[in-house]
Amino acid sequence: CQFIMTPINQLMRAIMDDQKEKYEKMMTTLGIVLKGDDKSLTGKPLMKRTMQIWINAADTLLSMICTKLPSPRTAQKYRVENLYEGPMDDEAANAIRSCNKDGPLMMYVSKMVPTSDKGRFYAFGRVFSGTIATGQKVRIQGPHYKPGGKEDLNVKSIQRTVLMMGRTTEQIADVPCGNTVALVGVDQYLLKSGTLTTLEDAHNIADMKYSVSPVVKVAVKVKDGKELPKLVEGLKKL
């Protein structure tokens, strides 16, 4: 606390009390350099900008994720029991456990993300085993699929693999296990979530459970009653 919170409190208090000589001296010591219009800031805007430069939240969070969270290869060894619905000794379970990019494909699609094309969605998810690539033929298993059956099962080729970075997207050739990816063309066969695999006897990856409540509730309606089925279909995918 003495070496972490005390310097932060002292700097923030000096800024809010407009003790310019004190906070400028501290900024020089800490290597905080204000540029351009930032030099004219005072009070809370200056405090906010100072913290952005000194202890940037994005950089700090990313650093904590890298240093504290286990890698996919480490985590999947003990998470496979919670991830996979099938036997723990079959090929799919062993593939997830080893997180081998050259193994059979096991991917979970967790949600649909709207695209710029009207009525189309990216199927966003994580690759747990193998590598998924543009043009690759996969088994698309919906949540109601049972091994050996044909219900909720489609065998199709991936149209495109896309890397999502915030609001931007970039088309790439393939994505190995341990990474997230967005797929084009899968939204026609999955409502919201499902499993993609190259193994004919693979069970589904377990559905994710979200214990969250909506922050904002919005009522929507269509201008033209004929468009109601499209609205309902779109809401189901969100």
Side-chain angles (χ1 to χ4, degrees), residues 46 72 93 97 106 113 129-130 146 218:
L46 175 59
R97 190 178 290 110
M106 288 296 293
V113 180
S129 171
K146 300 297 180 185
V218 180

Side-chain angles (χ1 to χ4, degrees), residues 1-10 26 30 54:
C1 184
Q2 177 183 354
F3 300 105
I4 299 175
M5 289 306 301
T6 299
I8 294 175
N9 288 334
Q10 289 177 348
M26 291 185 70
L30 295 168
W54 183 26

Side-chain angles (χ1 to χ4, degrees), residues 135-216:
Q136 182 180 13
K137 183 168 286 189
V138 299
R139 292 166 61 86
I140 304 172
Q141 301 173 181
H144 302 298
Y145 169 77
K146 300 297 180 185
K150 293 186 177 180
E151 181 187 1
D152 217 0
L153 171 67
N154 292 278
V155 180
K156 302 293 178 181
S157 296
I158 303 299
Q159 293 180 11
R160 279 188 293 143
T161 50
V162 178
L163 181 64
M164 301 191 74
M165 300 172 290
R167 297 180 180 180
T168 63
T169 59
E170 180 180 340
Q171 184 175 344
I172 51 180
D174 54 55
V175 176
C177 55
N179 297 286
T180 57
V181 64
L183 306 175
V184 176
V186 177
D187 60 322
Q188 303 173 60
Y189 310 105
L190 289 178
L191 182 61
K192 184 177 291 186
S193 63
T195 300
L196 272 61
T197 181
T198 52
L199 294 172
E200 292 189 4
D201 57 351
H203 292 246
N204 277 355
I205 293 175
D207 277 340
M208 302 293 177
K209 305 297 181 184
Y210 303 101
S211 56
V212 295
S213 300
V215 178
V216 178

Side-chain angles (χ1 to χ4, degrees), residues 2-145:
Q2 177 183 354
F3 300 105
I4 299 175
M5 289 306 301
T6 299
I8 294 175
N9 288 334
Q10 289 177 348
L11 180 57
M12 297 303 101
R13 190 176 295 112
I15 292 174
M16 294 306 293
D17 293 343
D18 200 24
Q19 299 175 12
K20 190 172 183 179
E21 185 177 341
K22 182 177 180 180
Y23 70 67
E24 283 185 345
K25 183 178 179 181
M26 291 185 70
M27 285 183 182
T28 302
T29 304
L30 295 168
I32 303 170
V33 180
L34 298 176
K35 299 178 180 179
D37 296 338
D38 293 343
K39 295 180 180 179
S40 61
L41 297 175
T42 59
K44 192 171 182 179
L46 175 59
M47 180 182 71
K48 183 178 179 180
R49 184 62 186 141
T50 300
M51 291 301 292
Q52 287 175 341
I53 298 172
W54 183 26
I55 311 176
N56 185 278
D59 293 339
T60 304
L61 179 60
L62 180 59
S63 177
M64 289 294 290
I65 290 172
C66 293
T67 56
K68 298 298 182 182
L69 293 184
S71 69
R73 181 166 292 178
T74 300
Q76 287 176 205
K77 283 182 172 63
Y78 59 84
R79 289 190 62 213
V80 64
E81 295 182 4
N82 297 322
L83 291 170
Y84 187 56
E85 293 183 345
M88 290 297 105
D89 59 351
D90 71 2
E91 188 177 0
N94 290 329
I96 294 173
R97 190 178 290 110
S98 63
C99 192
N100 181 8
K101 68 180 181 66
D102 297 319
L105 175 68
M106 288 296 293
M107 174 182 171
Y108 179 74
V109 173
S110 58
K111 65 177 180 179
M112 296 292 167
V113 180
T115 70
S116 56
D117 296 331
K118 188 176 180 180
R120 298 304 303 272
F121 294 80
Y122 290 122
F124 180 81
R126 177 174 169 178
V127 185
F128 287 97
S129 171
T131 300
I132 193 158
T134 300
Q136 182 180 13
K137 183 168 286 189
V138 299
R139 292 166 61 86
I140 304 172
Q141 301 173 181
H144 302 298
Y145 169 77

